[in-house]
Amino acid sequence: MSTLTTRWRKSSRSSTNGSCVEVRRATGTVQVRDTKDRGGPVLSFDARSWGAFIAAVRAGHFDH
């Protein structure tokens, strides 16, 4: 099991309608969860995959 290194942080892009995610770093991973379901599933990504995802978001690849 990973040792946690930070607390959960709410996304700065979260909307006011409750569609929010929270992120935290754990040893060797970045974890993501739904703010509305804090006891629910947690997605874990290695640092390289998370970095690629963030780069794609910043480049607008997911914009509608």
Side-chain angles (χ1 to χ4, degrees):
M1 184 170 227
S2 297
T3 302
L4 299 180
T5 57
T6 60
R7 294 180 184 213
W8 289 103
R9 286 185 351 180
K10 187 173 170 182
S11 170
S12 62
R13 298 290 213 160
S14 294
S15 65
T16 57
N17 68 2
S19 298
C20 308
V21 296
E22 296 176 324
V23 178
R24 73 177 171 190
R25 290 188 183 270
T27 304
T29 65
V30 176
Q31 298 177 332
V32 182
R33 71 178 179 186
D34 183 346
T35 300
K36 295 182 307 289
D37 188 13
R38 291 185 171 143
V42 174
L43 301 174
S44 294
F45 303 91
D46 62 51
R48 186 175 189 196
S49 296
W50 183 253
F53 170 72
I54 295 301
V57 169
R58 289 181 177 154
H61 293 289
F62 304 109
D63 294 349
H64 293 263

